[in-house]
Amino acid sequence: MKFITIAFFLICSFLHRQPAHAQHWKEIKTVEDLNTNYPELINHLFSRIDLTYDGLDVVDSVLRQNDTIEACKLLIQYYQHNRNGSKYRKSNIPPTDISVAKADTILKNVFTIQNVKGKVPWGDDGHRDWHYKGPNNDREWAWLSNRHFQIDTVYHAYLKTGNSKYVSYIDEFLRDFIIKSQPYPEKWGTDAIWRGLEVSYRNKYWTSIFYGTINNDLISDATKLLLLSSLPDHAHYSRHFHAKKNNWLTMELSGLAVIAAHFPEFKGADEWLDYAIDKMGKSITEQVYPDGVQKELSSHYHYVTIDNFEQFKSTCEIAGKALPEFYHETLQKMYNYLAQSIRPNGYGVLNNDSDLDYNFERLEKANQKYDIPNWKHLHKHTDKYISNPDEVSFIFPWAGQFISRNHYGIDAHWSFFDIGPWGTGHQHKDKLHLSVAAFGKDFLVDSGRFAYTGAVAKKFRKYAQSSAGHNTLLIDGQGQAPGPKETENPLSALHYKITDVYDYAWGSFDQFDDLEGTAEHQRTMLYVRDEFWIITDRVVSDQPRSIETLWHWHPEHQIQVKDQIVSTNNSGGNLAIIPVNNQDFEISNISGAETPNIQGWYSSEYNKFRPNTTTIYKTTVRDAQPLVWILYPFKGEKNELKAKIKKIDKNGVYLKIKTNNDHFDIYVPYTDSNKVDFKKK
């Protein structure tokens, strides 16, 4: 008897702790079900709709007669038959039993977020745990899973196959989420559910799914009404609690515009769209330098911003709203940056917080809209990739990014040299970093971004952001401190020069973490087209300095050392790092180190990483003594380049260089493009 009493008490206590409707949400499918269990959501829905809007007069009339059930049914009919959302509406999809493996995995509540797979558990309240952080306890996992890309994937599987199981999952998924997400907090936050970026993504995915399934009986009337009740809250969040700048602002306001344009019946929709147009017009000017580079100076987030500016442009076109001409011109400049900085293999720059993004297809799609002559895509990765083959190297003087190449073929030489500001977001301490590719391969690389939060970030984030993860210098073991976030002026012509036979650029940096005394690192790059790169590193300091010059290799390469020359050992093309000074170097090659410091790791994509080799040349320098390097791409196994320093003066270095076929006499000035002296014999 005592056991029965205790058990009864525990059961009652458990039931008392449950939300009032938790046991019912899966059965809530009809208008009547929703009105019985959540009348407050229906009242909220009608309070946010302008019932004087054309076509809603019948709904208004019935609602005035207190027939809420009929008003809800008429509202659904209104959305089934009006012309809004025509972009998203779908005809009947022929039913099949065909399955899509990726979508089927999602049906098991197994989501892959930034390359990490996790199964979302069910909570004690009968709902999915929408705050679940994935197997690595990573809050980014929770945030991104609440953007609802997974139901977009399932939705497209339905459009492809007509398999009803996919729509049934979407129906149940959305009911679960919207009911669990109540009440809307009406304030800014960083919660897994109510955070600005997550809201903005749901604005877009939900709008697409709502109109794409509005006439589909497999989506319950309750789910349709729940979407209509929650979307105004999403718009309210995006309107009042959006970020103030950078790519977040762009994403959030593009999401607000989607709701405003496709649900004009919502109270405030006109004001939302006008507000977004005003803010986005100002934002594109504030976010993007005159040379077309987004100020975070990350190739990845540059594209994220373009994509959202483009989405916003398309939304305004649907709404019949004109954007100013400078908006369109800036978009073209932003695409121009992607076209001119693209690697020979079609991928973008890996810099700051970026992934190796395949930009070629994005540019081909953009060119269908803009038809820009100077990046006309004619053949994939050929010398006709850009219509003017004489223009192969580019400077972005505001961003401080210099792209060198010899042609547009897949086996072209290509380099990226960073001589600009730190960036307004997603920054790495990597000024004067140099990346190099040739023969269809990446050779010298940026280490990547690894992850922002969770176990991977705990291990690698500091390394990813530090100078130690880049091809630059450590001075007395210290890396760079944060630099100026943005610039008010472009680089002067003294910083760079592009000619038919060579490219020249230089930059400097003088802020280092915990460094005693003063030190300024000056780096100069001179690329001889079709031949090699010359790099000079000069540390101007008040005392002798221990210098570590770092060169990070792509993981695919095997590295060998011979007579202080470090090179790859491939059957095809190779790259050699040739120190020209008669300098005593301590050379080490480090791969996959975790102690005493992280070194020799590479991440081409978020949450993906593997060991690579970092070559470190360590020496001591005095009196602004320059270190001179030649980066020599060559085919075969033998490096045939010979080089020596003829003279060093206070302004630069004279070099004599011999290859198999040519002799070069070159004067490389440290800081003045006008003083380059180039002779080829």
Side-chain angles (χ1 to χ4, degrees):
M1 184 69 181
K2 181 178 180 181
F3 173 79
I4 294 173
T5 302
I6 293 172
F8 177 77
F9 173 78
L10 291 173
I11 292 170
C12 290
S13 298
F14 174 78
L15 292 174
H16 179 72
R17 290 197 303 269
Q18 301 308 298
H21 311 290
Q23 68 271 32
H24 300 302
W25 76 264
K26 286 189 178 182
E27 286 73 43
I28 298 172
K29 297 182 179 181
T30 67
V31 173
E32 290 81 2
D33 293 337
L34 188 63
N35 188 55
T36 298
N37 288 276
Y38 294 96
E40 70 278 6
L41 291 183
I42 291 179
N43 292 335
H44 176 67
L45 163 61
F46 283 117
S47 74
R48 302 302 296 273
I49 291 181
D50 178 6
L51 294 174
T52 66
Y53 195 85
D54 187 32
L56 289 173
D57 51 326
V58 178
V59 178
D60 183 40
S61 176
V62 171
L63 194 63
R64 289 177 183 276
Q65 299 172 32
N66 295 320
D67 192 344
T68 304
I69 301 297
E70 183 63 19
C72 287
K73 293 178 179 178
L74 289 170
L75 182 64
I76 292 172
Q77 291 177 22
Y78 164 81
Y79 279 105
Q80 288 173 332
H81 298 108
N82 72 16
R83 296 182 178 181
N84 296 334
S86 58
K87 170 183 177 180
Y88 303 113
R89 291 180 183 269
K90 305 297 179 184
S91 302
N92 291 331
I93 309 296
T96 75
D97 293 327
I98 297 172
S99 291
V100 177
K102 185 176 181 180
D104 285 352
T105 300
I106 294 172
L107 300 192
K108 300 173 185 176
N109 295 326
V110 176
F111 308 151
T112 301
I113 310 293
Q114 292 179 318
N115 299 305
V116 175
K117 185 177 290 187
K119 184 171 184 177
V120 176
W122 294 94
D124 292 339
D125 59 1
H127 290 274
R128 292 172 182 82
D129 180 2
W130 297 105
H131 291 84
Y132 176 61
K133 296 180 180 179
N136 295 332
N137 194 33
D138 182 354
R139 61 181 180 174
E140 285 275 338
W141 204 98
W143 281 327
L144 270 68
S145 70
N146 281 301
R147 295 180 184 183
H148 290 184
F149 77 92
Q150 58 272 67
I151 57 166
D152 184 63
T153 299
V154 171
Y155 176 55
H156 280 87
Y158 170 70
L159 296 180
K160 181 179 180 180
T161 67
N163 195 321
S164 62
K165 66 181 179 181
Y166 297 129
V167 184
S168 297
Y169 181 82
I170 292 170
D171 176 60
E172 186 253 10
F173 180 102
L174 288 171
R175 266 184 293 127
D176 180 9
F177 178 85
I178 295 172
I179 289 173
K180 179 61 178 177
S181 69
Q182 300 302 314
Y184 165 51
E186 294 192 58
K187 64 180 181 180
W188 178 88
T190 59
D191 175 75
I193 294 174
W194 291 105
R195 191 181 75 139
L197 290 187
E198 286 60 59
V199 169
S200 73
Y201 275 87
R202 295 198 299 266
N203 291 350
K204 299 169 186 178
Y205 289 143
W206 286 10
T207 298
S208 171
I209 289 171
F210 176 82
Y211 282 111
T213 62
I214 186 63
N215 289 298
N216 192 317
D217 293 338
L218 294 173
I219 297 291
S220 68
D221 285 351
T223 298
K224 293 169 184 174
L225 291 170
L226 284 168
L227 281 167
L228 287 171
S229 72
S230 188
L231 280 167
D233 293 338
H234 280 62
H236 183 271
Y237 191 104
S238 296
R239 166 62 178 83
H240 295 283
F241 307 120
H242 60 76
K244 303 303 180 185
K245 61 181 181 178
N246 289 343
N247 70 82
W248 278 47
L249 172 68
T250 311
M251 287 192 275
E252 292 181 67
L253 291 186
S254 67
L256 173 63
V258 167
I259 295 181
H262 294 94
F263 295 91
E265 311 85 2
F266 289 165
K267 292 177 180 178
D270 287 342
E271 190 275 337
W272 297 340
L273 191 54
D274 289 341
Y275 176 85
I277 289 172
D278 177 64
K279 286 289 185 182
M280 289 286 267
K282 294 175 181 175
S283 176
I284 199 169
T285 302
E286 294 169 354
Q287 279 197 64
V288 182
Y289 282 123
D291 57 15
V293 186
Q294 200 259 359
K295 291 183 180 180
E296 289 175 270
L297 302 180
S298 153
S299 178
H300 176 78
Y301 286 102
H302 180 95
Y303 179 74
V304 168
T305 309
I306 288 180
D307 189 41
N308 281 274
F309 280 138
E310 273 284 7
Q311 290 178 30
F312 184 76
K313 174 174 170 282
S314 298
T315 300
C316 288
E317 289 170 353
I318 290 170
K321 297 281 190 176
L323 293 171
E325 186 59 30
F326 71 80
Y327 189 97
H328 304 283
E329 292 172 352
T330 303
L331 268 178
Q332 292 183 27
K333 288 181 181 179
M334 294 182 76
Y335 278 119
N336 199 55
Y337 167 73
L338 292 183
Q340 293 179 345
S341 64
I342 198 167
R343 295 167 184 264
N345 60 8
Y347 287 82
V349 177
L350 184 66
N351 67 321
N352 278 352
D353 280 339
S354 289
D355 292 337
L356 268 182
D357 295 324
Y358 190 63
N359 286 337
F360 184 86
E361 290 178 353
R362 295 167 173 173
L363 287 166
E364 288 208 311
K365 186 180 295 185
N367 201 46
Q368 294 172 8
K369 297 180 182 179
Y370 295 106
D371 192 27
I372 305 299
N374 71 335
W375 44 274
K376 185 83 173 176
H377 298 65
L378 303 178
H379 301 285
K380 188 174 182 179
H381 312 320
T382 72
D383 58 3
K384 294 184 179 180
Y385 181 76
I386 291 180
S387 63
N388 181 1
D390 296 327
E391 191 177 18
V392 292
S393 295
F394 301 94
I395 179 69
F396 299 92
W398 289 85
Q401 297 182 10
F402 196 100
I403 304 295
S404 293
R405 57 165 68 82
N406 57 342
H407 59 80
Y408 289 99
I410 188 66
D411 62 343
H413 295 174
W414 175 94
S415 66
F416 164 82
F417 185 31
D418 180 1
I419 52 175
W422 193 36
T424 59
H426 291 282
Q427 310 99 327
H428 291 184
K429 301 171 187 176
D430 62 350
K431 187 168 182 179
L432 308 181
H433 167 87
L434 179 74
S435 292
V436 172
F439 312 122
K441 305 172 183 179
D442 286 333
F443 283 101
L444 299 176
V445 297
D446 184 302
S447 290
R449 62 174 174 162
F450 293 88
Y452 299 157
T453 62
V456 174
K458 185 176 181 180
K459 184 174 182 178
F460 290 112
R461 184 61 178 160
K462 289 183 179 179
Y463 172 70
Q465 293 177 303
S466 72
S467 302
H470 298 85
N471 298 324
T472 184
L473 303 186
L474 302 182
I475 301 178
D476 289 347
Q478 303 302 315
Q480 297 174 10
K485 290 185 176 181
E486 56 185 298
T487 183
E488 296 181 358
N489 298 291
L491 293 171
S492 74
L494 293 178
H495 274 270
Y496 59 88
K497 179 180 285 188
I498 298 173
T499 74
D500 291 341
V501 292
Y502 69 83
D503 300 334
Y504 168 90
W506 71 272
S508 64
F509 195 78
D510 62 1
Q511 300 173 51
F512 292 84
D513 284 321
D514 301 321
L515 188 69
E516 294 183 4
T518 62
E520 178 185 6
H521 176 202
Q522 298 173 350
R523 172 168 279 186
T524 304
M525 180 211 75
L526 192 149
Y527 169 62
V528 180
R529 214 167 310 285
D530 298 317
E531 299 289 349
F532 48 77
W533 289 262
I534 302 170
I535 309 298
T536 70
D537 286 315
R538 185 169 178 250
V539 176
V540 180
S541 180
D542 58 352
Q543 57 191 279
R545 296 293 187 181
S546 171
I547 302 298
E548 295 169 78
T549 307
L550 310 180
W551 302 106
H552 296 259
W553 298 95
H554 190 276
E556 72 179 20
H557 299 298
Q558 296 295 316
I559 307 303
Q560 61 184 9
V561 183
K562 183 178 180 181
D563 299 329
Q564 294 200 333
I565 296 173
V566 178
S567 64
T568 58
N569 185 21
N570 302 318
S571 57
N574 288 290
L575 183 77
I577 299 174
I578 304 171
V580 186
N581 302 69
N582 185 18
Q583 187 83 14
D584 184 18
F585 287 107
E586 177 187 333
I587 302 174
S588 56
N589 286 308
I590 300 174
S591 178
E594 299 184 24
T595 57
N597 300 302
I598 297 290
Q599 186 54 270
W601 294 90
Y602 173 73
S603 171
S604 63
E605 192 175 344
Y606 195 97
N607 267 329
K608 285 188 175 181
F609 57 93
R610 53 179 167 154
N612 68 339
T613 298
T614 302
T615 296
I616 303 176
Y617 284 85
K618 186 174 182 179
T619 191
T620 299
V621 298
R622 297 173 175 82
D623 303 322
Q625 170 192 358
L627 301 178
V628 183
W629 318 87
I630 292 181
L631 310 180
Y632 181 49
F634 64 97
K635 289 192 173 181
E637 299 179 358
K638 192 173 182 182
N639 158 33
E640 299 292 346
L641 183 142
K642 305 295 181 184
K644 66 178 182 179
I645 296 174
K646 291 175 60 179
K647 181 182 177 182
I648 297 174
D649 65 24
K650 65 178 182 179
N651 295 316
V653 180
Y654 288 92
L655 292 167
K656 182 179 284 291
I657 302 169
K658 178 183 178 182
T659 63
N660 280 343
N661 302 314
D662 299 296
H663 292 72
F664 300 88
D665 289 323
I666 303 173
Y667 179 67
V668 183
Y670 300 133
T671 60
D672 188 345
S673 64
N674 293 323
K675 294 181 179 179
V676 176
D677 187 12
F678 182 91
K679 294 183 179 67
K680 179 179 178 181
K681 301 177 182 178

